[in-house]
């Protein structure tokens, strides 16, 4: 009986973690990356006030600027040096980038001038159906329904864009301070 209670507790805890997107590969598609200092060494994540840093998935579509703010704080950038963000199950058709921002006014939303890092040439393209789509900042590209990973610094081929359970190496290179 004692073993049964332990197993039940383990299953419940695993379900809770999966529902929160804390178990990789469980609970939905995810984008993953590292926090990278600026190439010239001017900006370092070690000097950032991590209590103010948040992540946002920001897209630009034909109809405007759809934004998905992640309310999760980045607890200790210098210890973990990585992030995992669960993607929404559906979104507006658009090209999205991951941003780190300094929430200067503590409203848990990305406001103008608060972005301090982004995913560079890597985009997440959301498509409501399979086919050739035109995305702002990307151009016309063939995508499958749902989320598609795309690196604009590489040629389009059978692996770019691509679909997967996770979209790794969406690294955030710091380009401003957060005090």
């Amino acid at each position: 009986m004692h073993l049964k209670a332990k197993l039940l507790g383990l299953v419940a805890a695993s379900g809770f973690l999966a529902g929160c997107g804390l178990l990789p590969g469980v609970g939905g598609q995810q984008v993953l990356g590292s926090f990278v200092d600026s190439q010239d060494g001017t900006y370092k994540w070690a000097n950032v006030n991590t209590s103010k840093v948040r992540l946002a998935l920001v897209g630009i579509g034909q109809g405007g600027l759809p934004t998905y703010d992640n309310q999760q704080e980045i607890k200790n950038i210098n210890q973990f040096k990585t992030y995992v963000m669960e993607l929404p199950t559906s979104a507006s058709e658009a090209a999205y980038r991951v941003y780190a921002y300094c929430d200067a006014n503590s409203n848990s939303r990305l406001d103008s001038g608060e972005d301090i890092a982004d995913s560079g040439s890597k985009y997440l393209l959301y498509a409501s159906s399979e086919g050739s789509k035109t995305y702002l900042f990307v151009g016309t590209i063939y995508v499958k329904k749902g989320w598609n990973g795309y690196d604009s610094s590489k040629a389009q081929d059978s692996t770019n864009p691509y679909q997967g359970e996770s979209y790794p190496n969406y690294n955030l290179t710091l380009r401003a301070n957060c005090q």
Side-chain angles (χ1 to χ4, degrees):
M1 186 71 164
H2 188 60
L3 178 61
K4 224 182 206 184
K6 284 183 178 180
L7 287 174
L8 184 58
L10 180 62
V11 169
S14 296
F16 174 75
L17 291 173
C20 294
L22 298 176
L23 292 179
V26 178
Q29 292 176 296
Q30 298 173 332
V31 58
L32 310 94
S34 298
F35 297 102
V36 181
D37 294 339
S38 64
Q39 289 184 352
D40 65 3
T42 302
Y43 302 109
K44 297 183 181 294
W45 284 101
N47 301 330
V48 167
N49 179 350
T50 57
S51 69
K52 292 184 178 183
V53 177
R54 308 282 187 277
L55 294 179
L57 182 63
V58 178
I60 298 179
Q62 303 297 341
L65 182 69
T67 301
Y68 295 93
D69 289 318
N70 186 331
Q71 304 302 320
Q72 163 188 357
E73 289 182 28
I74 311 304
K75 295 294 183 191
N76 192 338
I77 290 168
N78 300 312
Q79 179 181 355
F80 299 111
K81 294 185 175 34
T82 61
Y83 73 91
V84 176
M85 177 190 285
E86 190 167 319
L87 296 171
T89 55
S90 66
S92 298
E93 198 162 271
Y96 292 81
R97 287 172 72 184
V98 179
Y99 284 86
Y101 66 99
C102 183
D103 192 15
N105 60 5
S106 301
N107 69 350
S108 296
R109 298 200 52 80
L110 172 61
D111 297 314
S112 179
E114 289 184 334
D115 60 308
I116 58 173
D118 62 53
S119 55
S121 65
K122 294 200 171 183
Y123 290 86
L124 292 158
L125 310 175
Y126 190 82
S128 56
S129 61
E130 185 171 339
S132 288
K133 308 282 182 178
T134 301
Y135 294 96
L136 296 177
F137 302 112
V138 172
T140 301
I141 190 168
Y142 189 87
V143 291
K144 294 181 180 175
K145 182 179 179 177
W147 289 105
N148 296 264
Y150 177 67
D151 188 341
S152 64
S153 71
K154 296 181 179 178
Q156 292 180 31
D157 60 21
S158 62
T159 63
N160 190 36
Y162 69 97
Q163 282 193 317
E165 276 302 306
S166 64
Y167 298 93
N169 301 317
Y170 278 68
N171 299 331
L172 302 174
T173 302
L174 191 61
R175 56 179 155 68
N177 282 323
C178 178
Q179 302 303 319

